[in-house]
Amino acid sequence: MTKPKRNSQKANNMAKQKDGKTKKGTLVFMIFTIVFLLIIMMIGVIIHQAQTNTKKQTDGQLSGQQQSGQVQSNSKINTKGQPMMGTKTAPVTLVEFGDYRCIYCKQFEETIVPQLKKDYIDNGKAKFYFINFTILGEGSRIAANASEAIYHMAPNHFWDFHAALYKNQGDEKKSWVTNGLLEKIAKNSVPSLDMAAFKQALTKDTYEQQVLNDHAMAVNLGLQGTPDLFVNGQAISDPLNYKMVQKAINAALNGANK
Ligand code: CA
C-alpha cells in the first residue's frame, strides 16, 4: 500500500517539479519576451533618431548647396586681369561677355554702353568690365587676342581700341578679321603703341591663353550667346533692353545704399 502512496507522492513531487519548471519556463519566456520587446523598441527609437538626423543633415546639405550655388554664380565671374572702365570703388559691377564679330555686341557697344557711361560709369555708380566670349570662330579669337594685346601693352587705350574694333566690324558672314585691319585700327586708336611688338603679338598669338581663360569662364557660367551682361553677378535676360538694364542697376544701387 505504501508503494502506491510513495508512487503517488513521487508523482505528486514530479508534478510539482514539473509545475515549477513550467512556471519558471513561463517566467523566463515572459522576461525574454519583455527584453525582446524592449530591444525592438530601442532599435525602433534608434532607427527613428538616425532617420531624423539624416533628414536634418540632408536638409542642411541642400540649403548649403543652394547657398553655395548662389555664391558660385557670382564667384564664377572673375574680373581680375580684365579691362575695367570707371571707378574701382563703384558699388555696382557690370560685366559684359562679348565677341567682336557679333552684330548684337556692336549694337550693345554703340547703343547701351554710351548710356551706361553717362548714367552710371562716369559718375562713379558703376564700373564696367569686358570679357571675351569668342563664339564666332577663328576671326573672333584673332580679334580677342589683339584686344588682349592692347590691354597688356597700352591699358589706357584699351577702350579706344575696343570701340574702334566694333566700329570697323565687317559682315558677319565674311572673314573680315585680318592682321592688316587690326594693325590699322591699332595705329589709329592707340597712337603710343609699339607697332612692332603689337605685330609680333598678333603673329605669335601671344595672348591666346587669356582669350581661352575668358572663353572658359563664359562656358562655365553656361552662357549660350553674346552679348551677356551681369549686374552685381546677376544675369540680365536682355542686355539690349536699356530699361531692363537700368532697373537691375537701380535695384543694385538701392541694395548697396541700405
Ligand atoms: Ca580678358
Side-chain angles (χ1 to χ4, degrees):
M1 288 298 282
T2 52
K3 208 176 182 181
K5 202 180 175 181
R6 261 190 258 131
N7 281 351
S8 136
Q9 270 180 344
K10 199 180 175 184
N12 199 20
N13 286 342
M14 278 174 74
K16 273 184 184 171
Q17 275 176 2
K18 201 178 173 187
D19 190 37
K21 274 183 186 171
T22 313
K23 275 184 183 168
K24 238 187 218 174
T26 311
L27 193 69
V28 168
F29 178 75
M30 276 173 74
I31 290 168
F32 178 78
T33 308
I34 289 165
V35 169
F36 180 74
L37 285 172
L38 278 171
I39 289 169
I40 294 286
M41 276 169 71
M42 276 167 72
I43 289 171
V45 169
I46 289 166
I47 288 173
H48 178 71
Q49 275 184 343
Q51 281 175 344
T52 310
N53 287 343
T54 310
K55 193 179 178 299
K56 274 182 190 167
Q57 277 174 1
T58 311
D59 289 350
Q61 278 166 5
L62 279 177
S63 64
Q65 278 166 354
Q66 279 165 0
Q67 281 162 7
S68 67
Q70 282 165 2
V71 172
Q72 263 187 352
S73 77
N74 292 336
S75 65
K76 277 181 181 175
I77 301 174
N78 185 2
T79 53
K80 196 178 172 212
Q82 303 294 352
M84 188 204 77
M85 188 197 294
T87 316
K88 214 173 183 180
T89 53
V92 177
T93 301
L94 308 173
V95 179
E96 184 206 348
F97 285 82
D99 183 317
Y100 290 109
R101 290 190 73 241
C102 155
I103 55 168
Y104 300 107
C105 298
K106 179 182 164 75
Q107 197 182 327
F108 181 84
E109 168 66 21
E110 292 173 356
T111 63
I112 304 297
V113 173
Q115 295 183 82
L116 288 174
K117 241 176 117 7
K118 183 176 155 281
D119 296 341
Y120 302 103
I121 300 168
D122 289 347
N123 56 21
K125 288 179 180 173
K127 52 185 177 284
F128 180 88
Y129 290 92
F130 177 81
I131 300 176
N132 294 292
F133 184 24
T134 48
I135 55 167
L136 296 171
E138 189 60 13
S140 301
R141 287 189 289 277
I142 294 169
N145 174 65
S147 86
E148 290 283 352
I150 297 295
Y151 175 57
H152 286 86
M153 295 164 69
N156 292 339
H157 290 282
F158 172 81
W159 296 106
D160 299 329
F161 180 80
H162 174 88
L165 192 43
Y166 273 123
K167 201 178 172 192
N168 283 278
Q169 189 183 73
D171 189 334
E172 199 186 18
K173 294 181 192 79
K174 290 177 184 167
S175 306
W176 57 269
V177 183
T178 62
N179 285 3
L181 177 69
L182 294 168
E183 286 163 22
K184 196 180 138 195
I185 295 169
K187 208 173 183 177
N188 291 333
S189 57
V190 191
S192 59
L193 189 66
D194 178 345
M195 279 309 291
F198 180 69
K199 281 182 187 180
Q200 201 177 44
L202 293 185
T203 52
K204 289 194 171 176
D205 211 5
T206 309
Y207 298 95
E208 184 191 19
Q209 195 54 53
Q210 278 79 357
V211 175
L212 290 174
N213 292 348
D214 283 11
H215 189 85
M217 202 196 304
V219 170
N220 195 30
L221 279 160
L223 303 183
Q224 304 284 326
T226 49
D228 301 276
L229 181 68
F230 288 83
V231 176
N232 277 2
Q234 299 298 311
I236 305 301
S237 60
D238 184 4
L240 291 169
N241 179 339
Y242 190 62
K243 277 189 178 167
M244 189 186 276
V245 174
Q246 265 188 312
K247 205 176 159 187
I249 298 174
N250 291 339
L253 280 168
N254 285 335
N257 289 335
K258 269 175 192 169

